[in-house]
Amino acid sequence: MMDKSDMLGVLKKFPALCREALGLNKGLTVSGDITSIVVVGMGGSSIGGQILKMYMKDSKIPVFINRGYDIPAFVDHETLVFAISYSGNTEETLSAVKAAKDKKAQIIAITSGGQLEKEVEKIIKVPPGYQPRAAVPFLFFPMMGVLYNSKIIEVRNSDLNEMMQLLQDSEYYVEEGQRLAKVVKNRVPIIYTSEDFEAVGYRFKTQINENAKFPAFNNVFSEMNHNEINAFQFIERSKFMAFIIRDSKDHPRIKKRFDICSEIMGERVDVEQILTKGKCLLARIFSTIHLCDMASYYIAIEQRVDPTPVEVIEKLKKQLK
Amino acid sequence: MMDKSDMLGVLKKFPALCREALGLNKGLTVSGDITSIVVVGMGGSSIGGQILKMYMKDSKIPVFINRGYDIPAFVDHETLVFAISYSGNTEETLSAVKAAKDKKAQIIAITSGGQLEKEVEKIIKVPPGYQPRAAVPFLFFPMMGVLYNSKIIEVRNSDLNEMMQLLQDSEYYVEEGQRLAKVVKNRVPIIYTSEDFEAVGYRFKTQINENAKFPAFNNVFSEMNHNEINAFQFIERSKFMAFIIRDSKDHPRIKKRFDICSEIMGERVDVEQILTKGKCLLARIFSTIHLCDMASYYIAIEQRVDPTPVEVIEKLKKQLK
């Protein structure tokens, strides 16, 4: 078992991991017509795909997140499949890769090794030794690199610079992460974002689950306005609290919905607003993920839980063999 | 405000609504190449799209659920857009329809009237007077009809017969719904399904939110095995309970994961299994939705809450004007 301080150390290395990840793709490209992109991966390895979907929102090429043993029926030789498994041994991903091969999809794997390395020809090898959830930069930026090399997406150097610049202020992430963690007070967080920022809300939820071993849920505006909001009629302040992650580019009506619902929800539970920082999308995504990662670490500390080991997953994996 | 007994009355009419909905599409078809289907709708009006996605899992034509003000960038004249709003006045849907028109998509609206009826040429008009969440059969079967008429999907009469047959046993749904509701005991349900059955789990969650005004959450296997399962290390039996909705066609490894996780989760919370009934997919989907709808009604009764009105949504809508 790793030392408690390890997870904090790794989290603090997040900017360095981003920088390292940006250099990992050594000119790999895809050729021919690509009509869809499918990102195959589970848990921490699926977050990169969700970020890619956010980043490619304005692209004509749809991005699908595939979390399971099979792949969609439409996959063919014009589909680019990113197969992502940090360990390289995730059984769902290996099964989906087999299905993708049968359909002659173009496959690129991102992994630190394992069986996946043996199954796929085009590999982007990433450094081993991290918890998969801490390796997110390794699991996203190489994809971005391939798509940039293949002229499928644009990436501005100025955006990468802004992102790296914003991640440098390590004191801010520690202090703001600690402050956010103290708001939770042993109540179950429900995290809200716009539909566009769902990946960031989901990341925060899963980091609380894994680091703090604590329940947390996420949902999106405005879908929750049509159902989940009703739960706030009688919800108990002692049991739940809400985070709203707000982005400067949220649709004006989503902004208004956040304002109104903060008041409605605020009558029953404590509501904490998290505002994204930065101008370009990459900066807004990764600075918010870094902040929420830090907050999840300090939620673990507040709960007096060791953030690093995930004993339940290990137990499950053993029984699955 | 409607009488308490109304929601139960409407829920009991579910089989009749299914039968009526099957007759609603009067030969409407789409022509030309359709390369993707986008279902635009919020809340109860989005559930139909989620069921369609389930139903078309093996189709080469991908189905996208669109819950928001905009539509995906790839939408063009080869995209079939189903615009679904029971009232016809859902602002997100009206905004998305405008965007779909600009992109020359083929649009078919399903609505009981409102502004949507004026905006779209091809309309399937459904009976007014229901709560949107009770109108789900009206919001799904007409889509199925269009796609069947257009030879995009197959629908077997024997499947429809099996579904209708299975829905007839009204005593079962009342008794089993009551039994499931009694298991909850004022604890927050977390509902699990396979990725394939996510729509059914999400429907149950939203029905608990709307009918019982009570928190409920849903997630899917095996994704939750990679993060949320860790929350069960310290979760409190007095605060949460879990439903697992299991289907006979679940992947063998998903079945095994359900078995193992029932034990792991069962050490901390009560876990209740719900087994889908029926042979064909339509029967399995709609009998389970009907059962969970009934359970959500009786959860409201257990919580001493009037299932029908959704006061918080009404308050929000007023403030949004």
Side-chain angles (χ1 to χ4, degrees):
Chain A
M1 195 188 296
M2 291 168 82
D3 188 73
K4 259 194 202 189
S5 62
D6 277 343
M7 185 53 76
L8 183 60
V10 172
L11 286 177
K12 285 188 175 173
K13 276 180 69 181
F14 188 81
L17 263 55
C18 286
R19 189 172 295 285
E20 189 177 352
L22 284 167
L24 279 175
N25 167 47
K26 295 165 198 76
L28 204 60
T29 59
V30 285
S31 51
D33 279 345
I34 297 294
T35 55
S36 62
I37 296 173
V38 175
V39 185
V40 168
M42 307 300 300
S45 297
S46 122
I47 296 287
Q50 295 178 46
I51 298 170
L52 185 69
K53 194 175 172 176
M54 270 178 96
Y55 190 75
M56 289 185 65
K57 197 197 157 209
D58 295 327
S59 167
K60 296 264 179 196
I61 303 176
V63 177
F64 297 83
I65 306 305
N66 196 82
R67 303 182 305 184
Y69 290 87
D70 209 347
I71 50 163
F74 65 79
V75 169
D76 61 19
H77 65 283
E78 292 187 348
T79 310
L80 171 57
V81 171
F82 284 110
I84 307 186
S85 166
Y86 184 64
S87 68
N89 293 321
T90 312
E91 66 174 46
E92 298 94 318
T93 305
L94 291 170
S95 163
V97 162
K98 197 167 174 298
K101 274 186 188 176
D102 289 346
K103 290 179 182 268
K104 316 278 181 216
Q106 296 202 43
I107 308 174
I108 293 177
I110 302 177
T111 183
S112 69
Q115 187 61 29
L116 187 56
E117 196 185 354
K118 296 173 193 149
E119 298 287 341
V120 178
E121 258 175 59
K122 282 191 176 180
I123 295 275
I124 299 173
K125 196 89 180 276
V126 302
Y130 294 92
Q131 291 262 10
R133 64 189 184 277
V136 163
F138 296 153
L139 306 173
F140 169 73
F141 289 109
M143 270 194 291
M144 195 180 82
V146 169
L147 296 170
Y148 173 76
N149 292 342
S150 310
K151 300 192 194 321
I152 292 172
I153 59 170
E154 281 180 47
V155 183
R156 281 191 224 100
N157 261 325
S158 57
D159 289 358
L160 296 175
N161 289 340
E162 192 207 350
M163 178 187 80
M164 290 311 304
Q165 185 65 34
L166 205 55
L167 292 173
Q168 293 314 312
D169 186 5
S170 55
E171 210 170 299
Y172 162 77
Y173 295 98
V174 167
E175 284 176 9
E176 186 64 5
Q178 284 175 331
R179 193 187 68 75
L180 291 174
K182 280 191 197 304
V183 176
V184 174
K185 295 195 184 86
N186 198 35
R187 298 169 300 186
V188 173
I190 314 178
I191 300 149
Y192 296 107
T193 60
S194 69
E195 184 97 11
D196 286 349
F197 261 69
E198 185 170 12
V200 175
Y202 182 67
R203 167 69 175 178
F204 193 14
K205 169 233 167 359
T206 58
Q207 285 286 75
I208 296 170
N209 293 157
E210 290 201 74
N211 288 336
K213 298 21 143 181
F214 195 67
F217 303 96
N218 74 299
N219 204 341
V220 296
F221 273 55
S222 57
E223 170 64 11
M224 77 77 78
N225 288 179
H226 297 266
N227 34 61
E228 190 167 290
I229 189 73
N230 285 296
F232 286 86
Q233 192 167 346
F234 305 109
I235 200 169
E236 290 172 61
R237 195 179 294 271
S238 63
K239 291 185 182 167
F240 290 95
M241 59 81 56
F243 285 112
I244 302 183
I245 300 177
R246 304 180 66 149
D247 184 60
S248 53
K249 298 274 167 53
D250 285 333
H251 189 286
R253 294 296 281 174
I254 296 291
K255 286 181 181 173
K256 180 146 195 189
R257 287 173 183 274
F258 280 147
D259 287 341
I260 297 171
C261 289
S262 294
E263 278 194 33
I264 291 177
M265 288 155 54
E267 288 172 21
R268 302 290 311 181
V269 300
D270 292 353
V271 180
E272 183 70 26
Q273 317 275 337
I274 299 175
L275 310 181
T276 65
K277 290 177 84 165
K279 280 183 191 163
C280 74
L281 183 59
L282 282 177
R284 277 143 54 215
I285 294 172
F286 280 91
S287 64
T288 313
I289 285 180
H290 187 31
L291 173 61
C292 293
D293 279 3
M294 292 299 285
S296 74
Y297 171 84
Y298 288 110
I299 294 170
I301 301 303
E302 293 282 325
Q303 296 292 125
R304 299 173 192 282
V305 167
D306 184 347
T308 306
V310 283
E311 289 163 24
V312 181
I313 290 185
E314 297 307 327
K315 186 173 170 182
L316 169 61
K317 276 190 188 163
K318 246 178 236 162
Q319 291 189 49
L320 269 169
K321 275 181 186 160
Chain B
M1 195 187 297
M2 293 168 82
D3 187 73
K4 259 194 204 191
S5 62
D6 277 343
M7 185 52 77
L8 182 60
V10 171
L11 285 177
K12 284 186 174 174
K13 277 180 68 181
F14 187 82
L17 263 55
C18 287
R19 189 172 295 284
E20 190 178 353
L22 283 167
L24 279 175
N25 166 47
K26 296 165 198 76
L28 203 59
T29 58
V30 285
S31 51
D33 278 346
I34 297 293
T35 54
S36 62
I37 296 173
V38 174
V39 185
V40 168
M42 306 300 301
S45 297
S46 120
I47 296 286
Q50 295 177 45
I51 298 169
L52 185 69
K53 194 175 172 178
M54 267 177 97
Y55 191 74
M56 290 184 65
K57 197 198 156 208
D58 295 327
S59 166
K60 296 264 179 196
I61 302 176
V63 178
F64 298 83
I65 307 306
N66 196 80
R67 304 183 304 186
Y69 290 87
D70 209 348
I71 51 163
F74 65 80
V75 169
D76 61 20
H77 65 283
E78 292 188 347
T79 310
L80 171 58
V81 171
F82 284 110
I84 307 186
S85 165
Y86 184 64
S87 69
N89 293 320
T90 311
E91 65 173 48
E92 297 94 319
T93 305
L94 291 170
S95 164
V97 162
K98 197 167 174 298
K101 275 186 187 176
D102 289 347
K103 290 179 182 265
K104 316 278 181 215
Q106 296 202 43
I107 308 175
I108 294 178
I110 302 177
T111 182
S112 69
Q115 187 61 29
L116 187 57
E117 197 184 352
K118 298 174 192 147
E119 298 286 341
V120 177
E121 259 175 57
K122 284 192 175 180
I123 294 277
I124 298 173
K125 196 89 180 275
V126 303
Y130 294 91
Q131 292 261 10
R133 63 188 184 278
V136 162
F138 296 154
L139 306 174
F140 169 73
F141 289 109
M143 270 194 292
M144 194 179 82
V146 170
L147 296 170
Y148 174 75
N149 292 341
S150 310
K151 301 193 192 321
I152 291 172
I153 59 170
E154 281 181 49
V155 183
R156 282 191 222 99
N157 261 325
S158 57
D159 289 358
L160 296 175
N161 290 340
E162 192 207 350
M163 179 187 78
M164 289 311 303
Q165 186 64 36
L166 205 54
L167 292 173
Q168 293 314 312
D169 186 4
S170 54
E171 209 170 301
Y172 163 77
Y173 296 98
V174 167
E175 285 175 8
E176 187 63 5
Q178 285 175 330
R179 192 187 68 76
L180 291 175
K182 280 191 198 303
V183 177
V184 173
K185 297 196 183 86
N186 197 36
R187 297 169 302 185
V188 173
I190 314 178
I191 300 149
Y192 296 107
T193 60
S194 68
E195 184 98 12
D196 286 348
F197 262 67
E198 184 169 13
V200 174
Y202 183 68
R203 167 70 173 178
F204 193 14
K205 168 230 168 2
T206 59
Q207 286 287 75
I208 295 170
N209 294 156
E210 290 202 73
N211 288 336
K213 292 36 141 174
F214 196 68
F217 302 95
N218 76 298
N219 204 341
V220 296
F221 273 56
S222 57
E223 172 64 11
M224 77 76 79
N225 289 178
H226 297 267
N227 33 62
E228 189 167 292
I229 188 73
N230 286 296
F232 287 86
Q233 191 167 346
F234 305 110
I235 201 169
E236 289 173 61
R237 194 179 296 270
S238 64
K239 291 185 182 166
F240 291 94
M241 58 81 54
F243 285 114
I244 302 184
I245 300 178
R246 305 181 64 148
D247 184 59
S248 54
K249 298 275 166 55
D250 286 332
H251 188 287
R253 294 296 282 173
I254 296 291
K255 286 181 181 172
K256 181 146 194 190
R257 287 173 183 273
F258 280 146
D259 288 341
I260 297 170
C261 289
S262 295
E263 278 194 35
I264 290 177
M265 289 155 55
E267 288 171 21
R268 301 291 311 183
V269 301
D270 291 355
V271 179
E272 183 69 26
Q273 317 276 336
I274 299 175
L275 310 181
T276 65
K277 288 178 83 164
K279 279 184 192 162
C280 74
L281 184 58
L282 282 177
R284 278 143 53 214
I285 294 173
F286 280 91
S287 64
T288 312
I289 285 180
H290 187 31
L291 173 61
C292 293
D293 280 2
M294 292 300 283
S296 74
Y297 171 84
Y298 288 110
I299 293 170
I301 301 303
E302 293 281 326
Q303 296 292 124
R304 300 173 192 282
V305 168
D306 185 345
T308 306
V310 281
E311 290 163 23
V312 181
I313 289 185
E314 297 308 327
K315 186 173 171 183
L316 168 61
K317 276 189 188 165
K318 246 179 235 163
Q319 292 189 48
L320 268 169
K321 274 183 185 157

